[in-house]
PDB file of all heavy atoms in Angstrom:
ATOM      1  N   PHE A  19      29.948  31.756 -96.628  1.00 98.00           N
ATOM      2  CA  PHE A  19      28.629  31.204 -96.355  1.00 98.00           C
ATOM      3  C   PHE A  19      28.208  30.428 -97.592  1.00 98.00           C
ATOM      4  O   PHE A  19      28.284  30.937 -98.709  1.00 98.00           O
ATOM      5  CB  PHE A  19      27.650  32.358 -96.078  1.00 98.00           C
ATOM      6  CG  PHE A  19      26.271  31.912 -95.720  1.00 98.00           C
ATOM      7  CD1 PHE A  19      25.999  31.337 -94.487  1.00 98.00           C
ATOM      8  CD2 PHE A  19      25.223  32.080 -96.611  1.00 98.00           C
ATOM      9  CE1 PHE A  19      24.714  30.930 -94.148  1.00 98.00           C
ATOM     10  CE2 PHE A  19      23.936  31.681 -96.289  1.00 98.00           C
ATOM     11  CZ  PHE A  19      23.683  31.107 -95.047  1.00 98.00           C
ATOM     12  N   ASN A  20      27.811  29.173 -97.389  1.00 96.00           N
ATOM     13  CA  ASN A  20      27.402  28.296 -98.488  1.00 96.00           C
ATOM     14  C   ASN A  20      26.042  27.703 -98.170  1.00 96.00           C
ATOM     15  O   ASN A  20      25.814  27.261 -97.036  1.00 96.00           O
ATOM     16  CB  ASN A  20      28.384  27.128 -98.644  1.00 96.00           C
ATOM     17  CG  ASN A  20      29.794  27.600 -98.849  1.00 96.00           C
ATOM     18  OD1 ASN A  20      30.109  28.133 -99.896  1.00 96.00           O
ATOM     19  ND2 ASN A  20      30.644  27.417 -97.861  1.00 96.00           N
ATOM     20  N   VAL A  21      25.162  27.696 -99.162  1.00 96.00           N
ATOM     21  CA  VAL A  21      23.862  27.033 -98.978  1.00 96.00           C
ATOM     22  C   VAL A  21      23.670  26.035-100.108  1.00 96.00           C
ATOM     23  O   VAL A  21      24.207  26.206-101.205  1.00 96.00           O
ATOM     24  CB  VAL A  21      22.670  28.024 -98.946  1.00 96.00           C
ATOM     25  CG1 VAL A  21      22.790  28.994 -97.810  1.00 96.00           C
ATOM     26  CG2 VAL A  21      22.501  28.760-100.250  1.00 96.00           C
ATOM     27  N   TYR A  22      22.924  24.992 -99.814  1.00 95.00           N
ATOM     28  CA  TYR A  22      22.481  24.079-100.855  1.00 95.00           C
ATOM     29  C   TYR A  22      20.975  23.971-100.722  1.00 95.00           C
ATOM     30  O   TYR A  22      20.470  23.612 -99.646  1.00 95.00           O
ATOM     31  CB  TYR A  22      23.128  22.697-100.759  1.00 95.00           C
ATOM     32  CG  TYR A  22      22.769  21.895-101.984  1.00 95.00           C
ATOM     33  CD1 TYR A  22      23.503  22.036-103.156  1.00 95.00           C
ATOM     34  CD2 TYR A  22      21.652  21.085-102.011  1.00 95.00           C
ATOM     35  CE1 TYR A  22      23.146  21.364-104.314  1.00 95.00           C
ATOM     36  CE2 TYR A  22      21.284  20.407-103.169  1.00 95.00           C
ATOM     37  CZ  TYR A  22      22.033  20.556-104.316  1.00 95.00           C
ATOM     38  OH  TYR A  22      21.670  19.899-105.467  1.00 95.00           O
ATOM     39  N   LEU A  23      20.260  24.324-101.775  1.00 95.00           N
ATOM     40  CA  LEU A  23      18.800  24.342-101.757  1.00 95.00           C
ATOM     41  C   LEU A  23      18.241  23.340-102.745  1.00 95.00           C
ATOM     42  O   LEU A  23      18.815  23.118-103.811  1.00 95.00           O
ATOM     43  CB  LEU A  23      18.285  25.742-102.115  1.00 95.00           C
ATOM     44  CG  LEU A  23      18.770  26.887-101.230  1.00 95.00           C
ATOM     45  CD1 LEU A  23      18.300  28.224-101.789  1.00 95.00           C
ATOM     46  CD2 LEU A  23      18.302  26.708 -99.795  1.00 95.00           C
ATOM     47  N   VAL A  24      17.111  22.753-102.379  1.00 93.00           N
ATOM     48  CA  VAL A  24      16.358  21.876-103.269  1.00 93.00           C
ATOM     49  C   VAL A  24      14.951  22.440-103.323  1.00 93.00           C
ATOM     50  O   VAL A  24      14.349  22.732-102.287  1.00 93.00           O
ATOM     51  CB  VAL A  24      16.339  20.423-102.742  1.00 93.00           C
ATOM     52  CG1 VAL A  24      15.431  19.555-103.598  1.00 93.00           C
ATOM     53  CG2 VAL A  24      17.741  19.855-102.698  1.00 93.00           C
ATOM     54  N   GLN A  25      14.424  22.612-104.527  1.00 92.00           N
ATOM     55  CA  GLN A  25      13.080  23.139-104.704  1.00 92.00           C
ATOM     56  C   GLN A  25      12.194  22.074-105.329  1.00 92.00           C
ATOM     57  O   GLN A  25      12.563  21.446-106.315  1.00 92.00           O
ATOM     58  CB  GLN A  25      13.110  24.384-105.592  1.00 92.00           C
ATOM     59  CG  GLN A  25      11.746  25.026-105.770  1.00 92.00           C
ATOM     60  CD  GLN A  25      11.811  26.333-106.529  1.00 92.00           C
ATOM     61  OE1 GLN A  25      12.881  26.894-106.746  1.00 92.00           O
ATOM     62  NE2 GLN A  25      10.660  26.832-106.926  1.00 92.00           N
ATOM     63  N   ALA A  26      11.019  21.857-104.745  1.00 91.00           N
ATOM     64  CA  ALA A  26      10.004  20.962-105.293  1.00 91.00           C
ATOM     65  C   ALA A  26       8.711  21.759-105.327  1.00 91.00           C
ATOM     66  O   ALA A  26       8.161  22.100-104.278  1.00 91.00           O
ATOM     67  CB  ALA A  26       9.849  19.711-104.438  1.00 91.00           C
ATOM     68  N   GLY A  27       8.263  22.118-106.525  1.00 91.00           N
ATOM     69  CA  GLY A  27       7.116  23.014-106.628  1.00 91.00           C
ATOM     70  C   GLY A  27       7.515  24.361-106.057  1.00 91.00           C
ATOM     71  O   GLY A  27       8.529  24.931-106.429  1.00 91.00           O
ATOM     72  N   ASN A  28       6.738  24.842-105.099  1.00 94.00           N
ATOM     73  CA  ASN A  28       7.100  26.130-104.487  1.00 94.00           C
ATOM     74  C   ASN A  28       7.820  25.949-103.157  1.00 94.00           C
ATOM     75  O   ASN A  28       8.214  26.911-102.527  1.00 94.00           O
ATOM     76  CB  ASN A  28       5.864  27.017-104.324  1.00 94.00           C
ATOM     77  CG  ASN A  28       4.861  26.448-103.339  1.00 94.00           C
ATOM     78  OD1 ASN A  28       4.907  25.280-102.966  1.00 94.00           O
ATOM     79  ND2 ASN A  28       3.927  27.273-102.915  1.00 94.00           N
ATOM     80  N   ARG A  29       8.004  24.718-102.719  1.00 95.00           N
ATOM     81  CA  ARG A  29       8.673  24.462-101.444  1.00 95.00           C
ATOM     82  C   ARG A  29      10.176  24.324-101.623  1.00 95.00           C
ATOM     83  O   ARG A  29      10.653  23.758-102.609  1.00 95.00           O
ATOM     84  CB  ARG A  29       8.092  23.220-100.801  1.00 95.00           C
ATOM     85  CG  ARG A  29       6.678  23.495-100.346  1.00 95.00           C
ATOM     86  CD  ARG A  29       6.054  22.320 -99.656  1.00 95.00           C
ATOM     87  NE  ARG A  29       4.786  22.646 -99.033  1.00 95.00           N
ATOM     88  CZ  ARG A  29       3.699  23.020 -99.677  1.00 95.00           C
ATOM     89  NH1 ARG A  29       3.718  23.176-100.970  1.00 95.00           N
ATOM     90  NH2 ARG A  29       2.586  23.280 -99.023  1.00 95.00           N
ATOM     91  N   ILE A  30      10.896  24.808-100.625  1.00 95.00           N
ATOM     92  CA  ILE A  30      12.356  24.783-100.660  1.00 95.00           C
ATOM     93  C   ILE A  30      12.859  24.243 -99.333  1.00 95.00           C
ATOM     94  O   ILE A  30      12.310  24.559 -98.273  1.00 95.00           O
ATOM     95  CB  ILE A  30      12.922  26.210-100.868  1.00 95.00           C
ATOM     96  CG1 ILE A  30      12.492  26.759-102.224  1.00 95.00           C
ATOM     97  CG2 ILE A  30      14.442  26.222-100.735  1.00 95.00           C
ATOM     98  CD1 ILE A  30      12.875  28.208-102.440  1.00 95.00           C
ATOM     99  N   CYS A  31      13.898  23.436 -99.398  1.00 94.00           N
ATOM    100  CA  CYS A  31      14.606  23.057 -98.180  1.00 94.00           C
ATOM    101  C   CYS A  31      16.078  22.904 -98.527  1.00 94.00           C
ATOM    102  O   CYS A  31      16.460  22.902 -99.696  1.00 94.00           O
ATOM    103  CB  CYS A  31      14.028  21.796 -97.551  1.00 94.00           C
ATOM    104  SG  CYS A  31      14.442  20.291 -98.403  1.00 94.00           S
ATOM    105  N   GLY A  32      16.893  22.807 -97.501  1.00 94.00           N
ATOM    106  CA  GLY A  32      18.317  22.662 -97.739  1.00 94.00           C
ATOM    107  C   GLY A  32      19.102  22.799 -96.470  1.00 94.00           C
ATOM    108  O   GLY A  32      18.568  22.638 -95.362  1.00 94.00           O
ATOM    109  N   ASP A  33      20.371  23.095 -96.651  1.00 95.00           N
ATOM    110  CA  ASP A  33      21.250  23.259 -95.507  1.00 95.00           C
ATOM    111  C   ASP A  33      22.274  24.350 -95.814  1.00 95.00           C
ATOM    112  O   ASP A  33      22.386  24.816 -96.935  1.00 95.00           O
ATOM    113  CB  ASP A  33      21.921  21.948 -95.126  1.00 95.00           C
ATOM    114  CG  ASP A  33      22.664  21.284 -96.288  1.00 95.00           C
ATOM    115  OD1 ASP A  33      23.137  21.998 -97.191  1.00 95.00           O
ATOM    116  OD2 ASP A  33      22.768  20.057 -96.281  1.00 95.00           O
ATOM    117  N   PHE A  34      22.999  24.763 -94.771  1.00 96.00           N
ATOM    118  CA  PHE A  34      24.015  25.789 -94.957  1.00 96.00           C
ATOM    119  C   PHE A  34      25.228  25.483 -94.093  1.00 96.00           C
ATOM    120  O   PHE A  34      25.162  24.726 -93.125  1.00 96.00           O
ATOM    121  CB  PHE A  34      23.474  27.195 -94.623  1.00 96.00           C
ATOM    122  CG  PHE A  34      23.413  27.489 -93.145  1.00 96.00           C
ATOM    123  CD1 PHE A  34      24.505  28.027 -92.479  1.00 96.00           C
ATOM    124  CD2 PHE A  34      22.269  27.221 -92.418  1.00 96.00           C
ATOM    125  CE1 PHE A  34      24.445  28.290 -91.118  1.00 96.00           C
ATOM    126  CE2 PHE A  34      22.197  27.487 -91.068  1.00 96.00           C
ATOM    127  CZ  PHE A  34      23.296  28.019 -90.412  1.00 96.00           C
ATOM    128  N   GLY A  35      26.325  26.109 -94.464  1.00 97.00           N
ATOM    129  CA  GLY A  35      27.544  26.111 -93.669  1.00 97.00           C
ATOM    130  C   GLY A  35      28.127  27.504 -93.714  1.00 97.00           C
ATOM    131  O   GLY A  35      28.092  28.153 -94.758  1.00 97.00           O
ATOM    132  N   GLY A  36      28.619  27.971 -92.588  1.00 97.00           N
ATOM    133  CA  GLY A  36      29.212  29.304 -92.546  1.00 97.00           C
ATOM    134  C   GLY A  36      30.484  29.282 -91.716  1.00 97.00           C
ATOM    135  O   GLY A  36      30.606  28.491 -90.778  1.00 97.00           O
ATOM    136  N   ALA A  37      31.427  30.151 -92.063  1.00 97.00           N
ATOM    137  CA  ALA A  37      32.680  30.257 -91.319  1.00 97.00           C
ATOM    138  C   ALA A  37      33.152  31.703 -91.347  1.00 97.00           C
ATOM    139  O   ALA A  37      33.118  32.348 -92.395  1.00 97.00           O
ATOM    140  CB  ALA A  37      33.746  29.353 -91.922  1.00 97.00           C
ATOM    141  N   LEU A  38      33.590  32.183 -90.195  1.00 97.00           N
ATOM    142  CA  LEU A  38      34.169  33.523 -90.130  1.00 97.00           C
ATOM    143  C   LEU A  38      35.569  33.488 -90.728  1.00 97.00           C
ATOM    144  O   LEU A  38      36.162  32.420 -90.901  1.00 97.00           O
ATOM    145  CB  LEU A  38      34.217  34.003 -88.685  1.00 97.00           C
ATOM    146  CG  LEU A  38      32.864  34.195 -87.991  1.00 97.00           C
ATOM    147  CD1 LEU A  38      33.067  34.668 -86.559  1.00 97.00           C
ATOM    148  CD2 LEU A  38      31.983  35.169 -88.757  1.00 97.00           C
ATOM    149  N   VAL A  39      36.105  34.665 -91.018  1.00 96.00           N
ATOM    150  CA  VAL A  39      37.458  34.784 -91.554  1.00 96.00           C
ATOM    151  C   VAL A  39      38.422  34.029 -90.639  1.00 96.00           C
ATOM    152  O   VAL A  39      38.296  34.058 -89.410  1.00 96.00           O
ATOM    153  CB  VAL A  39      37.857  36.270 -91.675  1.00 96.00           C
ATOM    154  CG1 VAL A  39      39.331  36.413 -92.020  1.00 96.00           C
ATOM    155  CG2 VAL A  39      36.999  36.964 -92.721  1.00 96.00           C
ATOM    156  N   ASN A  40      39.380  33.367 -91.235  1.00 96.00           N
ATOM    157  CA  ASN A  40      40.391  32.549 -90.574  1.00 96.00           C
ATOM    158  C   ASN A  40      39.771  31.324 -89.884  1.00 96.00           C
ATOM    159  O   ASN A  40      40.385  30.712 -89.031  1.00 96.00           O
ATOM    160  CB  ASN A  40      41.247  33.358 -89.600  1.00 96.00           C
ATOM    161  CG  ASN A  40      42.669  32.838 -89.549  1.00 96.00           C
ATOM    162  OD1 ASN A  40      43.164  32.265 -90.514  1.00 96.00           O
ATOM    163  ND2 ASN A  40      43.317  33.024 -88.420  1.00 96.00           N
ATOM    164  N   LEU A  41      38.517  31.038 -90.259  1.00 93.00           N
ATOM    165  CA  LEU A  41      37.786  29.871 -89.757  1.00 93.00           C
ATOM    166  C   LEU A  41      37.760  29.813 -88.231  1.00 93.00           C
ATOM    167  O   LEU A  41      37.734  28.748 -87.634  1.00 93.00           O
ATOM    168  CB  LEU A  41      38.369  28.576 -90.350  1.00 93.00           C
ATOM    169  CG  LEU A  41      38.542  28.571 -91.862  1.00 93.00           C
ATOM    170  CD1 LEU A  41      39.113  27.255 -92.330  1.00 93.00           C
ATOM    171  CD2 LEU A  41      37.236  28.874 -92.569  1.00 93.00           C
ATOM    172  N   ARG A  42      37.737  31.002 -87.598  1.00 93.00           N
ATOM    173  CA  ARG A  42      37.783  31.031 -86.131  1.00 93.00           C
ATOM    174  C   ARG A  42      36.472  30.585 -85.488  1.00 93.00           C
ATOM    175  O   ARG A  42      36.472  30.199 -84.336  1.00 93.00           O
ATOM    176  CB  ARG A  42      38.229  32.394 -85.631  1.00 93.00           C
ATOM    177  CG  ARG A  42      37.313  33.527 -85.916  1.00 93.00           C
ATOM    178  CD  ARG A  42      37.932  34.854 -85.450  1.00 93.00           C
ATOM    179  NE  ARG A  42      36.987  35.930 -85.596  1.00 93.00           N
ATOM    180  CZ  ARG A  42      36.775  36.612 -86.703  1.00 93.00           C
ATOM    181  NH1 ARG A  42      37.465  36.325 -87.787  1.00 93.00           N
ATOM    182  NH2 ARG A  42      35.884  37.575 -86.745  1.00 93.00           N
ATOM    183  N   GLN A  43      35.376  30.641 -86.228  1.00 96.00           N
ATOM    184  CA  GLN A  43      34.109  30.079 -85.758  1.00 96.00           C
ATOM    185  C   GLN A  43      33.366  29.546 -86.974  1.00 96.00           C
ATOM    186  O   GLN A  43      33.389  30.151 -88.035  1.00 96.00           O
ATOM    187  CB  GLN A  43      33.251  31.136 -85.052  1.00 96.00           C
ATOM    188  CG  GLN A  43      33.822  31.550 -83.707  1.00 96.00           C
ATOM    189  CD  GLN A  43      32.968  32.599 -83.022  1.00 96.00           C
ATOM    190  OE1 GLN A  43      32.634  33.617 -83.622  1.00 96.00           O
ATOM    191  NE2 GLN A  43      32.631  32.354 -81.787  1.00 96.00           N
ATOM    192  N   ILE A  44      32.705  28.391 -86.790  1.00 97.00           N
ATOM    193  CA  ILE A  44      31.943  27.796 -87.883  1.00 97.00           C
ATOM    194  C   ILE A  44      30.524  27.501 -87.426  1.00 97.00           C
ATOM    195  O   ILE A  44      30.239  27.452 -86.222  1.00 97.00           O
ATOM    196  CB  ILE A  44      32.614  26.523 -88.437  1.00 97.00           C
ATOM    197  CG1 ILE A  44      32.734  25.458 -87.350  1.00 97.00           C
ATOM    198  CG2 ILE A  44      33.967  26.843 -89.052  1.00 97.00           C
ATOM    199  CD1 ILE A  44      33.193  24.107 -87.871  1.00 97.00           C
ATOM    200  N   ASP A  45      29.643  27.311 -88.379  1.00 97.00           N
ATOM    201  CA  ASP A  45      28.233  27.044 -88.093  1.00 97.00           C
ATOM    202  C   ASP A  45      27.670  26.219 -89.246  1.00 97.00           C
ATOM    203  O   ASP A  45      28.224  26.204 -90.343  1.00 97.00           O
ATOM    204  CB  ASP A  45      27.470  28.378 -87.979  1.00 97.00           C
ATOM    205  CG  ASP A  45      26.092  28.252 -87.356  1.00 97.00           C
ATOM    206  OD1 ASP A  45      25.672  27.133 -86.988  1.00 97.00           O
ATOM    207  OD2 ASP A  45      25.409  29.293 -87.230  1.00 97.00           O
ATOM    208  N   ASP A  46      26.600  25.526 -88.988  1.00 97.00           N
ATOM    209  CA  ASP A  46      25.836  24.880 -90.042  1.00 97.00           C
ATOM    210  C   ASP A  46      24.400  24.803 -89.575  1.00 97.00           C
ATOM    211  O   ASP A  46      24.099  25.090 -88.410  1.00 97.00           O
ATOM    212  CB  ASP A  46      26.400  23.508 -90.420  1.00 97.00           C
ATOM    213  CG  ASP A  46      26.317  22.486 -89.291  1.00 97.00           C
ATOM    214  OD1 ASP A  46      26.280  22.882 -88.116  1.00 97.00           O
ATOM    215  OD2 ASP A  46      26.299  21.283 -89.588  1.00 97.00           O
ATOM    216  N   GLY A  47      23.502  24.448 -90.489  1.00 97.00           N
ATOM    217  CA  GLY A  47      22.105  24.399 -90.101  1.00 97.00           C
ATOM    218  C   GLY A  47      21.211  24.006 -91.246  1.00 97.00           C
ATOM    219  O   GLY A  47      21.670  23.579 -92.306  1.00 97.00           O
ATOM    220  N   SER A  48      19.912  24.179 -91.013  1.00 96.00           N
ATOM    221  CA  SER A  48      18.915  23.744 -91.991  1.00 96.00           C
ATOM    222  C   SER A  48      18.103  24.933 -92.492  1.00 96.00           C
ATOM    223  O   SER A  48      18.029  25.980 -91.840  1.00 96.00           O
ATOM    224  CB  SER A  48      17.983  22.711 -91.360  1.00 96.00           C
ATOM    225  OG  SER A  48      17.241  23.302 -90.310  1.00 96.00           O
TER     226      SER A  48
END
């Protein structure tokens, strides 16, 4: 599971990517 976050003041946004073992299922999001 990987996230990338950006913080401006107290607000945060970013995205993520996730993969199960052996990459049998993947996901991403905000």
